[in-house]
Amino acid sequence: MENEDQPRLRSVVSYVKRGGRMTVGQQRAWDELWPEVGRTVGELPDGKLDFTAWFGREAPVLIEIGSGMGETTSQLAAAAPELNYVAVEVYDPGLGQLMLRAEKLGVENLRLLHGDAVVLLTEHVEPGTLHGVRLFFPDPWPKKKHHKRRIVSPSFAALVASRLAPGGTFHMATDWENYAEQMLEVCSAEPALKNRYDGWAPRPEWRPVTKFEQRADVEGRVSHDLIFEKR
């Protein structure tokens, strides 16, 4: 997810690896909370990740790709205690802040993964098992020459679809018009997915409005939601 306080850097992968200094609180979260709630994608054992064992219970698994600074993710996890909620992010201070927000809200159904969501889905998630995948406001790579770096591509849509259980949802949101159109075109062309709506989905009342989304609105960019489900 984009972070309004960090510069957009060049990258050839599906995300921007951002550095940044952590606050004292964020560092405490890494020191004290990460060992229990977090793992690094690149350090996972070969094979599929046992979410039931990690969470200590059997529950539907939902993966959110790009949790940013965690203001939305912490609230969404808190509001859905029936889900095993997994956040995937590459920004260290963002994960630290998410842990702090979740701790404050008393969230117990949230686990964090540091690294590339494509690697996670490809190598560590069993096909046909996910309740849902969320991708809210990914890096838009607005310059046309950089569009190939956008995470939503035919291969990514096929990967997500393959990991969803029947009826599972792939929910996207972006405030960049041409990226929204690309998402719609790409996912509509994926045979394993079907659009729940005729075009854009209504903006869900349960999705909190972030500061970044508020700024986009001020700058005249309209946010679009898309919800596809596994056939």
Side-chain angles (χ1 to χ4, degrees):
M1 177 177 288
E2 295 173 298
N3 179 267
E4 56 192 304
D5 298 322
Q6 296 294 322
R8 187 177 290 118
L9 307 177
R10 288 181 177 272
S11 176
V12 294
V13 292
S14 62
Y15 60 87
V16 177
K17 180 66 175 76
R18 297 183 174 93
R21 303 181 91 180
M22 284 189 281
T23 66
V24 173
Q26 290 164 0
Q27 186 61 59
R28 179 188 68 79
W30 273 93
D31 294 340
E32 298 179 6
L33 304 177
W34 180 261
E36 180 179 351
V37 303
R39 295 185 182 179
T40 300
V41 173
E43 297 176 359
L44 292 174
D46 292 341
K48 306 310 178 188
L49 179 55
D50 187 344
F51 290 107
T52 298
W54 193 15
F55 280 86
R57 66 172 189 171
E58 184 82 38
V61 176
L62 185 143
I63 292 180
E64 181 181 332
I65 299 172
S67 51
M69 296 303 287
E71 59 180 319
T72 294
T73 307
S74 56
Q75 295 178 60
L76 291 176
E82 73 281 4
L83 297 178
N84 284 346
Y85 206 106
V86 180
V88 189
E89 176 59 55
V90 297
Y91 182 50
D92 298 10
L95 287 167
Q97 193 64 36
L98 172 54
M99 286 185 276
L100 293 176
R101 295 180 192 274
E103 181 183 43
K104 185 176 182 180
L105 293 174
V107 176
E108 297 182 353
N109 63 318
L110 177 66
R111 299 292 183 271
L112 282 57
L113 282 159
H114 182 262
D116 189 350
V118 173
V119 174
L120 172 69
L121 291 171
T122 303
E123 300 181 8
H124 302 292
V125 175
E126 196 76 37
T129 59
L130 295 180
H131 173 77
V133 173
R134 289 174 178 168
L135 179 68
F136 295 155
F137 303 97
D139 196 317
W141 295 106
K143 293 182 179 180
K144 189 172 182 179
K145 65 180 180 179
H146 293 155
H147 284 185
K148 62 181 179 292
R149 299 179 179 180
R150 290 173 169 175
I151 189 171
V152 179
S153 65
S155 61
F156 181 73
L159 174 61
V160 170
S162 72
R163 269 45 185 175
L164 290 173
T169 58
F170 181 25
H171 185 175
M172 297 157 281
T174 181
D175 57 295
W176 289 85
E177 185 76 26
N178 64 358
Y179 199 3
E181 292 170 352
Q182 177 182 328
M183 291 174 172
L184 178 60
E185 179 181 357
V186 166
C187 292
S188 296
E190 170 50 50
L193 296 175
K194 64 178 179 179
N195 197 339
R196 277 195 171 177
Y197 299 90
D198 183 15
W200 314 124
R203 191 199 186 286
E205 293 183 0
W206 50 260
R207 181 167 66 73
V209 179
T210 66
K211 292 179 182 178
F212 180 85
E213 190 176 359
Q214 290 173 342
R215 190 178 74 176
D217 184 60
V218 170
E219 294 175 356
R221 294 194 304 276
V222 177
S223 296
H224 292 294
D225 282 76
L226 286 160
I227 301 176
F228 282 77
E229 66 179 55
K230 178 74 171 285
R231 293 183 184 276

